[in-house]
């Protein structure tokens, strides 16, 4: 049974940092993605790490501030978030892509999802 469990969400002030974790069980890390759903908005792509962890992709809104990484020994993927802004407030989800379908930034690409962790950035 595949399970993804996010953790690390919190309330932080603007300019602060957080590191989110996503622990996977029942599956080896493959291509991994982070998405977020801001209040009242649709889910949006944040970052993805291709199988092997060499190539990463980022949404323009987080490029230069967020970093996706992985620890294969711990079967865990991370999202390091720096210089946080109030508009980063959202529920953050990790997901695993087991069968490439053409677009890492599309939610439809991913096969399994975690339950989400809340990040709130105060101004």
């Amino acid at each position: 049974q595949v399970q993804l469990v996010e953790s690390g969400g919190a309330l932080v002030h603007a300019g602060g940092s957080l590191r989110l974790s996503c622990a996977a069980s029942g599956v080896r890390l493959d291509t991994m993605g982070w998405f977020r759903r801001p209040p009242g908005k649709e889910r949006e792509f944040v970052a993805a790490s291709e199988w092997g962890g060499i190539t990463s992709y980022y949404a323009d809104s987080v490029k230069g501030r967020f970093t996706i990484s992985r620890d294969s020994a711990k079967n865990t993927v991370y999202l390091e978030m720096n210089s946080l802004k109030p508009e980063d407030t959202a529920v953050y989800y990790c997901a695993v892509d087991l069968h490439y379908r053409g677009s890492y930034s599309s939610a439809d690409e991913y096969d399994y999802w975690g339950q989400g962790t809340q990040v709130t950035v105060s101004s």
Side-chain angles (χ1 to χ4, degrees), residues 36-51:
R36 65 187 182 188
R37 187 188 298 274
K41 296 184 179 180
E42 297 293 317
R43 181 171 47 187
E44 62 186 33
F45 170 73
V46 175
S49 169
E50 254 186 5
W51 180 86

Side-chain angles (χ1 to χ4, degrees), residues 2-3 5 8 22 30 34 37 39 47-48 53-54 59 72 74 76 86 96 113 116:
V2 176
Q3 193 172 16
V5 180
C22 173
D30 205 301
W34 283 97
R37 187 188 298 274
I54 302 299
S72 296
K74 295 182 178 179
T76 298
V96 60
W113 293 79

Side-chain angles (χ1 to χ4, degrees), residues 5-38:
V5 180
E6 302 97 334
S7 61
L11 169 64
V12 296
H13 291 297
S17 298
L18 278 177
R19 187 176 79 158
L20 305 183
S21 300
C22 173
S25 60
V27 66
R28 280 192 319 175
L29 295 185
D30 205 301
T31 292
M32 304 297 296
W34 283 97
F35 286 73
R36 65 187 182 188
R37 187 188 298 274

Side-chain angles (χ1 to χ4, degrees), residues 2 27-28 30-31 96-101 109 111-112:
V2 176
V27 66
R28 280 192 319 175
D30 205 301
T31 292
V96 60
D97 174 11
L98 302 179
H99 309 284
Y100 181 62
R101 300 171 182 86
E109 179 70 35
D111 298 282
Y112 295 95

